[in-house]
Amino acid sequence: MLVPDYHTHTSRCGHASGGIEDYVRAAVEAGLPEIGVSDHFPMGIFGPPDPSLSMAVDELDGYVSEAREVAARYADRIVVRLGTEADFLPGIEEKIRPVLARTPFDYVIGSIHFIDGWGFDDERNLAEWKKRDVDKVWLDYLDLVRRLAQSRLYDILGHPDLPKKFGHRPSGLAPGRLEAEFRSAARELGRAGMAVEINTSGLRKPVAEMYPSLEFLRILGEEGVGLVFGSDAHGPQQVGSRFADAIALARQAGYAESLRFQARKGRAARLP
Ligand code: ZN
Ligand code: FE
Ligand code: FE
Ligand code: ZN
């Protein structure tokens, strides 16, 4: 018995394949106790819509009703939760707050994919990395993590050290600086009562490791930040991918429990 997979997408986002039922069926076949769908929150709610990145605003209701319908139909085989992966950008808080509040999400993953308008984890924008100071990208990113936590809008931080995706690492920071930044971000997440995910999709990317690193995850655990697991599946065959390794990483970092979410509340359960 593995742990729930809380990070999955569907074809609604324009860059994934499969519908909700395909992911749920894959989770049953993988032997997962629970799956959450967390398709990208509609960008049109807080900025210009982009059909290659998220569903349209008017698709949100259909997403919710489809998830509920599938959850009911599979209730005897698996628990299905309704989530979303919502961006954090400074200034969008009051645009997304009412929509998050009125939609019956079981959990909201908060993710940082943009640093002043630059989608730094999008392959299409890879050239921009050459023009940037990598150390500054990391510092700006971790500052955004603190602000994401302070917004109190989200339950789970998605892919906590995403700037490493293509292999970019800080190189010129003073000794101990990165660890101190991880620590202060972890404290803000702890203060907000937030969790983080171990996201196994990094194993499929150039960096070839999970998000977050063992170092960051240890610090998160020390600061009392809860834990969930996500494959970030963009196809049903990726559901639950490498979860045995993810559980091993959690244990190595000192975690003995992970969280199950319902109606925006996390409940601790022992790791298998
Ligand atoms: Zn995606
Ligand atoms: Fe993401
Ligand atoms: Fe995702
Ligand atoms: Zn993601």
Side-chain angles (χ1 to χ4, degrees):
M1 190 76 147
L2 293 170
V3 288
D5 186 344
Y6 276 164
H7 197 146
T8 65
H9 296 279
T10 75
S11 58
R12 274 188 181 80
C13 72
H15 59 273
S17 62
I20 293 174
E21 182 167 8
D22 300 311
Y23 287 82
V24 170
R25 212 183 293 121
V28 171
E29 280 162 19
L32 300 188
E34 184 169 330
I35 180 171
V37 288
S38 61
D39 218 342
H40 294 284
F41 186 76
M43 294 183 77
I45 288 171
F46 58 86
D50 183 339
S52 76
L53 290 177
S54 78
M55 68 179 89
V57 175
D58 64 9
E59 286 179 284
L60 185 56
D61 289 347
Y63 169 65
V64 172
S65 56
E66 186 179 326
R68 290 183 143 180
E69 184 273 317
V70 173
R73 207 143 38 75
Y74 281 77
D76 57 336
R77 280 160 282 177
I78 191 167
V79 175
V80 178
R81 297 294 183 217
L82 174 66
T84 189
E85 178 181 17
D87 283 276
F88 173 72
L89 291 84
I92 69 166
E93 296 87 338
E94 298 321 312
K95 291 181 180 142
I96 68 172
R97 188 186 307 276
V99 184
L100 294 178
R102 73 167 171 259
T103 312
F105 292 123
D106 290 305
Y107 60 88
V108 176
I109 298 173
S111 290
I112 294 156
H113 302 110
F114 297 96
I115 295 174
D116 27 85
W118 169 43
F120 64 90
D121 80 313
D122 189 328
E123 277 125 31
R124 297 172 297 182
N125 307 324
L126 201 45
E128 178 70 18
W129 272 100
K130 294 203 187 74
K131 301 181 202 152
R132 299 268 178 156
D133 174 346
V134 172
D135 293 347
K136 184 163 185 317
V137 171
W138 276 86
L139 295 178
D140 288 350
Y141 174 83
L142 289 166
D143 186 52
L144 288 170
V145 169
R146 288 187 288 266
R147 293 164 74 173
L148 180 159
Q150 287 161 355
S151 76
R152 299 296 193 266
L153 283 171
Y154 311 90
D155 305 307
I156 300 159
L157 175 67
H159 35 63
D161 53 2
L162 185 61
K164 74 182 177 187
K165 176 172 178 176
F166 303 112
H168 301 93
R169 307 277 190 178
S171 60
L173 296 178
R177 177 74 194 274
L178 186 64
E179 191 193 333
E181 294 289 329
F182 282 156
R183 177 78 58 187
S184 85
R187 276 201 187 118
E188 284 300 332
L189 292 161
R191 233 173 251 144
M194 281 183 64
V196 295
E197 63 169 357
I198 293 181
N199 181 314
T200 59
S201 75
L203 292 165
R204 310 190 291 268
K205 299 292 160 25
V207 67
E209 56 176 69
M210 292 178 259
Y211 311 105
S213 63
L214 176 60
E215 179 198 10
F216 193 8
L217 189 59
R218 273 207 178 106
I219 293 169
L220 289 158
E222 286 163 11
E223 298 300 332
V225 178
L227 185 66
V228 303
F229 296 84
S231 64
D232 215 339
H234 282 72
Q237 74 287 355
Q238 292 167 341
V239 170
S241 170
R242 306 288 298 266
F243 268 26
D245 296 324
I247 293 167
L249 182 74
R251 289 203 172 283
Q252 214 186 335
Y255 280 90
E257 294 179 333
S258 67
L259 297 175
R260 307 243 174 137
F261 275 88
Q262 184 173 17
R264 309 288 311 265
K265 289 203 164 44
R267 194 170 40 80
R270 296 199 65 76
L271 284 176

